Amino acid sequence: MTTVIEQSSSALDTALTRAADILVNARLGLITGHGSDVAGMRAALKLAAHIGGAVDFCRAPNLHSLTADKGLMFTTPREARTRADVLLLVGPEAGRSATLKQVLAGSPTLSAGVGTPREVLWLCPGGAANALGADEARLLGGDVAALPGILAVLNACVIGRPIPAAGYGGLSREGIEDIAGRMITSRFGVIAFSPADLGPLGVESLMALAGALNKGTRVTTLPLGQGAITDAGQQTAALVASWTTGFPPRTGFARGFPEYDPWRFDAARMVSAGECDAIVWLSSFEAAAPGWRTDARLIAITAPNATFAKPPTVQIETAVPGKDFSAEFYSEAMQALVHNEAEGAPEAPALPTPAAVLGGILSKLALSGEVDTGSPLAKARQTKS
């Protein structure tokens, strides 16, 4: 077990005390990283609320767009496999997803009957056009950079609004009308996409398109990723933050209640601007370090053997969820939080769990009595009282 303070080995209890001292005296604390399991994320949010800090676990671009309140509608891979008689893939990453292979392996028996073939369309495949077999999808073309606009034009076509006579984004007018027509006449259409391809406007346009199609048929969406275990942390963070605070990550607690702002609480931006002077880096599934350098004091809570360009002030290695101990976290295949048994014999892990470390820091803060009465945490509590 590695527990280090200022590059010197330390007892765990001493490291927890040092971490608490850093946070209680910080101007603004930031909790970020690659995420954790459900218990770890709940503890991280409790700690952020206690110190009046900010939280950002949006490792993938535009992940926060998926959990904002925009009238979202999602399905699971299993439902898509048995119901989607028309499957529209949007963007290159959708075709590379391991989960998509599971969907294509089935047939739409619950919507179109046994033996009915599934129609698979691929909009804007880009450089991933060869990711699927030649007979698995009909390539529609389109400029990947123009995806948000293409989706908006498709939406206009579906609701009967005028669309450009010359087409848009590398698609002809006839091509756009053909896509819209196939989705409108589907029995159960599914639009599969990766948030990495779309951006916030693209996600919003996609949801608007799905909503418009649902006025005449049944259409839903299927967000896809690469299925890697390292993506489980950020997906778990998004779900836990949403049900705990009502918001996705990129949330601040400085005013005593959660505030969502994807620009203000963007971790990379905050670090670059020097807005935070204490950072808790949480990476439970992989031994990863942040990709930026900062003068802020860094408390690293990671899987074993993480290396840093600049040594953290405090570094605590933790057990890995689903490997060293049983834990709940996001499953790409199930598109849900699932229980994952520890590998091997069910013994107590040699290292503390992420939740135990974060809970230990919180306990030290509760016992500290806010010695520094000029700290933001102490001032906030004085105001509340």
Side-chain angles (χ1 to χ4, degrees):
M1 173 180 178
T2 298
T3 303
V4 176
I5 300 177
E6 304 287 0
Q7 303 184 60
S8 298
S9 297
S10 169
L12 176 59
D13 189 71
T14 305
L16 296 177
T17 300
R18 177 67 173 129
D21 289 341
I22 291 172
L23 293 173
V24 79
N25 293 305
R27 182 180 71 253
L28 176 62
L30 168 66
I31 302 180
T32 186
H34 292 173
S36 188
D37 62 311
V38 170
M41 287 311 310
R42 295 183 70 172
L45 289 166
K46 286 181 181 179
L47 181 59
H50 188 88
I51 65 174
V55 174
D56 178 14
F57 287 93
C58 296
R59 178 183 181 189
N62 316 308
L63 177 65
H64 58 86
S65 303
L66 297 184
T67 48
D69 184 11
K70 292 185 173 73
L72 308 186
M73 53 193 79
F74 298 143
T75 191
T76 65
R78 181 175 297 178
E79 286 292 294
R81 176 174 176 164
T82 57
R83 295 185 184 275
D85 62 319
V86 178
L87 177 64
L88 175 63
L89 310 181
V90 176
E93 290 303 318
R96 296 190 178 107
S97 170
T99 302
L100 178 65
K101 304 292 185 180
Q102 302 174 27
V103 175
L104 295 177
S107 59
T109 55
L110 296 183
S111 63
V114 177
T116 302
R118 188 195 323 275
E119 185 174 22
V120 182
L121 312 173
W122 195 353
L123 177 63
C124 300
N130 296 324
L132 300 178
D135 59 344
E136 289 190 273
R138 175 187 170 194
L139 304 183
L140 304 175
D143 182 1
V144 176
L147 256 177
I150 291 173
L151 294 170
V153 172
L154 275 171
N155 186 26
C157 185
V158 168
I159 63 178
R161 299 288 177 83
I163 64 173
Y168 181 84
L171 297 174
S172 66
R173 179 189 180 94
E174 292 74 20
I176 293 170
E177 291 175 340
D178 180 62
I179 297 169
R182 291 175 186 274
M183 295 304 297
I184 289 172
T185 57
S186 67
R187 295 186 179 184
F188 193 101
V190 172
I191 306 174
F193 70 102
S194 169
D197 287 331
L198 298 184
L201 289 178
V203 171
E204 191 165 357
S205 295
L206 180 62
M207 296 304 159
L209 173 62
L213 287 166
N214 268 287
K215 293 180 180 179
T217 185
R218 299 176 67 191
V219 171
T220 187
T221 71
L222 177 64
L224 298 171
Q226 292 301 310
I229 187 66
T230 51
D231 289 335
Q234 62 166 348
Q235 298 280 6
T236 302
L239 293 172
V240 175
S242 295
W243 86 55
T244 303
T245 69
F247 301 108
R250 295 191 177 168
T251 298
F253 297 86
R255 294 204 288 174
F257 53 86
E259 297 178 280
Y260 172 66
D261 191 317
W263 181 83
R264 283 174 58 203
F265 303 121
D266 180 334
R269 188 203 65 78
M270 293 178 70
V271 170
S272 177
E275 293 180 6
C276 51
D277 55 344
I279 300 170
V280 176
W281 177 262
L282 179 62
S283 180
S284 300
F285 293 99
E286 56 186 317
W292 25 255
R293 295 179 66 94
T294 175
D295 292 330
R297 289 168 293 180
L298 181 63
I299 302 165
I301 303 171
T302 73
N305 303 316
T307 58
F308 296 79
K310 180 181 178 181
T313 304
V314 177
Q315 182 175 0
I316 303 173
E317 291 186 346
T318 61
V320 178
K323 179 182 178 182
D324 301 321
F325 67 100
S326 299
E328 290 73 39
F329 51 84
Y330 183 83
S331 164
E332 177 72 25
M334 298 298 293
Q335 294 278 310
L337 297 170
V338 300
H339 179 77
N340 298 268
E341 288 291 338
E343 298 178 3
E347 300 176 355
L351 299 175
T353 66
V357 171
L358 292 163
I361 295 173
L362 186 58
S363 296
K364 296 293 184 181
L365 284 169
L367 294 172
S368 69
E370 284 76 58
V371 175
D372 180 2
T373 57
S375 71
L377 178 58
K379 289 180 179 178
R381 293 196 170 167
Q382 290 168 4
T383 300
K384 290 179 185 178
S385 60

